[in-house]
Amino acid sequence: MDSQKLALFGGQKTIQTEFKRYNPIGIEEVQAATEVIKSGVLSQFLGAWHQDFFGGPKVNEFERKCESYFGVKHAITVNSWTSGLIAAVGAIGIEPGDEVIVTPWTMCATATAILHWNAIPVFADIEPETFNIDPVSVEANITPYTKAIIAVDIFGHSADIDALMDIAERHNLKLITDTAQAPGTYYKGKLTGTLAHVGGYSLNYHKHIHTGEGGIIVTDDDDIADRLRLIRNHAEAVVGNKGVTDLRNMVGHNFRLGEIECAIGIEQLNKLKGFVAGRQHAAERLTQNLQGLPGLRTPIVKTNCTHAYYMYPMVLDIDRLGVSRKRIIQALEAEGVSGLAGGYANIHLLPMYQQKIAYGLNGFPWSSDICHRDVSYDKGICPVAEKLHEFTYLGFSMCMHELSDQDVDLIGQAFNKVWSKLNELRV
Ligand SMILES: *Cc1c(COP(=O)(O)O)cnc(C)c1O
């Protein structure tokens, strides 16, 4: 049999076995969790102004460890980073109807956190190199109603924080960063996620380190930190006795993370650097394997930045290749490469935004008096992000697997094989 015949057309698959599922949990986490279970104290939060308002021993130990690791004044644990984003938007004092500029090329929760407070997401386009929100587009979308920006360090590469902070300062806006995918990476020698007014990380199972579910919010601002802790833990029941007078957004939740998760988190934090280094090694090896394939752009890492490769982002030159992304993915999948995808469906194109139906059926908040103007979610508002999603972006999900050098080389072989037979896919 012709070993070079594409598996798509009945040839031999390049990759015969499934890659190992990523599993960062080891014996240290088992012991730490077991100790908590034996203690019987699985949580120690009280939604009242009391010492247990701040949670139990593992919550506090993990938070203090995060503060020293990330070099921030406050680290606040939450039961998911989605909860963290919601708390962050509330804590910076957003008013109903305020506009918050956000990227459409991210996980939906980044934008939903804005709507949660009845504020209005405004989508700015992204940079074609890093897929992060484009400061030029941010500036073009600022109106008198804009109050904040949410940038995402997508796929593991920092957004252009200096440019975004400069815009935030000039227009008196708050900057929140969503660093779910890039913990442990650097921007100009500083840890990504720690350079805005509020930042934070996800601890869900497919992120670099995890506690099952969970999140960490970081900030250097004492007032924002206070308000984050209140929103996390039943603010409305606490403000009276705590003596909080600014009641704005003191609408509480139960966003508390448990003792078991925090005990696991302490161990995971110790391993973060090693896990990120492992991903970087695999990604750099893959890039070498893919060197020289025409019409395929491997990941770009800007000077002064490091990349965590939550995703391994590639871009196809479809005109040059003369083959659609769908067809290329089919051929690669047939060779046994799993975890390929066309990137994020642009958030503004989701039904909720297209139909402006979120709370109830009457178009609230867009249709109400709190909304200052008719904000567009039309196709075409973010041409870079839209084109990438529709035609040219090709992501390989590094986060799902633990890849040995041999696995990486096999992926490289599969790409090289498909690229050597592109003419057969051009029908
Ligand atoms: C994972 C992720 C989130 C949500 O985090 P959870 O902990 O799953 O709630 C938000 N934003 C981005 C960019 C993410 O990757």
Side-chain angles (χ1 to χ4, degrees):
M1 198 163 76
D2 173 11
S3 73
Q4 278 307 304
K5 188 173 179 185
L6 287 175
L8 187 64
F9 301 132
Q12 201 179 4
K13 269 174 98 165
T14 311
I15 301 163
Q16 303 288 341
T17 52
E18 283 200 13
F19 302 135
K20 195 171 155 210
R21 181 182 154 127
Y22 182 64
N23 178 11
I25 302 298
I27 188 70
E28 298 81 3
E29 286 78 5
V30 172
Q31 279 166 355
T34 306
E35 269 176 44
V36 173
I37 293 169
K38 282 186 184 156
S39 78
V41 182
L42 306 194
S43 180
Q44 195 172 306
F45 270 107
L46 279 181
W49 188 229
H50 176 279
Q51 72 185 40
D52 290 345
F53 170 74
F54 298 102
K58 289 297 166 189
V59 166
N60 283 279
E61 186 184 339
F62 184 36
E63 290 181 348
R64 301 303 78 76
K65 289 222 153 97
C66 287
E67 284 158 7
S68 78
Y69 186 93
F70 292 107
V72 291
K73 215 162 160 195
H74 304 277
I76 294 142
T77 55
V78 273
N79 58 2
S80 75
W81 175 231
T82 299
S83 302
L85 284 162
I86 292 171
V89 175
I92 62 172
I94 288 295
E95 294 273 342
D98 281 351
E99 294 180 11
V100 179
I101 299 177
V102 65
T103 165
W105 185 259
T106 178
M107 193 251 163
C108 59
T110 318
T112 309
I114 302 163
L115 266 183
H116 178 93
W117 296 97
N118 300 314
I120 309 293
V122 172
F123 295 97
D125 209 352
I126 61 173
E127 300 174 333
E129 296 82 23
T130 64
F131 316 99
N132 284 318
I133 198 164
D134 184 344
V136 175
S137 181
V138 168
E139 193 129 33
N141 276 287
I142 290 174
T143 71
Y145 317 112
T146 308
K147 291 290 157 53
I149 305 163
I150 307 182
V152 181
D153 304 306
I154 205 72
F155 303 146
H157 188 295
S158 177
D160 188 350
I161 296 303
D162 280 354
L164 293 167
M165 273 307 265
D166 175 61
I167 293 171
E169 274 160 22
R170 277 190 285 111
H171 296 271
N172 195 25
L173 312 175
K174 289 279 190 259
L175 178 65
I176 296 173
T177 50
D178 173 348
T179 311
Q181 302 180 0
T185 64
Y186 290 87
Y187 174 84
K188 299 191 178 171
K190 294 182 180 141
L191 277 163
T192 314
T194 64
L195 303 170
H197 298 105
V198 194
Y201 310 95
S202 169
L203 294 170
N204 87 24
Y205 82 93
H206 50 78
K207 301 293 158 61
H208 302 274
I209 57 171
H210 86 94
T211 60
E213 303 286 347
I216 309 160
I217 319 172
V218 293
T219 184
D220 285 330
D221 186 304
D222 296 341
D223 181 54
I224 290 176
D226 258 358
R227 301 173 78 75
L228 286 166
R229 292 190 190 98
L230 283 157
I231 292 168
R232 167 175 75 175
N233 189 8
H234 304 294
E236 67 279 14
V238 182
V239 285
N241 286 338
K242 189 175 187 300
V244 175
T245 50
D246 177 359
L247 293 184
R248 187 167 24 163
N249 297 345
M250 290 294 98
V251 180
H253 296 266
N254 177 349
F255 287 161
R256 309 174 311 206
L257 192 59
E259 290 285 293
I260 298 173
E261 288 83 354
C262 288
I264 294 171
I266 291 164
E267 301 302 329
Q268 287 279 280
L269 193 63
N270 290 333
K271 301 179 180 179
L272 174 60
K273 271 203 175 92
F275 292 142
V276 171
R279 290 249 166 93
Q280 288 167 338
H281 170 78
E284 282 156 19
R285 192 175 177 98
L286 184 56
T287 297
Q288 280 183 348
N289 269 283
L290 303 181
Q291 208 100 85
L293 294 183
L296 180 75
R297 199 190 81 193
T298 52
I300 291 171
V301 185
K302 284 199 187 168
T303 328
N304 288 327
C305 289
T306 62
H307 203 309
Y309 299 102
Y310 173 76
M311 282 277 177
Y312 182 88
M314 295 165 279
V315 177
L316 300 168
D317 183 344
I318 292 297
D319 295 335
R320 177 162 177 198
L321 294 170
V323 184
S324 72
R325 175 180 63 198
K326 190 174 162 200
R327 195 75 176 138
I328 287 174
I329 291 179
Q330 277 174 352
L332 288 166
E333 282 177 345
E335 297 299 334
V337 184
S338 57
L340 294 170
Y344 287 106
N346 283 246
I347 294 178
H348 60 284
L349 300 179
L350 297 178
M352 178 165 77
Y353 294 98
Q354 285 297 297
Q355 295 171 45
K356 292 188 173 168
I357 299 289
Y359 296 103
L361 267 179
N362 292 324
F364 187 87
W366 299 279
S367 60
S368 82
D369 290 345
I370 62 168
C371 188
H372 300 280
R373 63 184 182 105
D374 186 18
V375 173
S376 170
Y377 300 131
D378 289 348
K379 198 164 179 207
I381 60 169
C382 296
V384 176
E386 291 171 23
K387 183 179 174 199
L388 282 162
H389 176 61
E390 242 179 306
F391 302 112
T392 58
Y393 174 81
L394 178 62
F396 172 58
S397 186
M398 303 233 8
C399 56
M400 289 301 189
H401 305 109
E402 212 160 296
L403 299 170
S404 68
D405 284 357
Q406 194 191 7
D407 294 336
V408 171
D409 293 347
L410 282 170
I411 296 167
Q413 271 178 41
F415 270 80
N416 277 279
K417 182 177 170 190
V418 168
W419 252 251
S420 74
K421 303 268 175 181
L422 283 173
N423 57 328
E424 293 177 19
L425 298 171
R426 267 181 214 123
V427 274

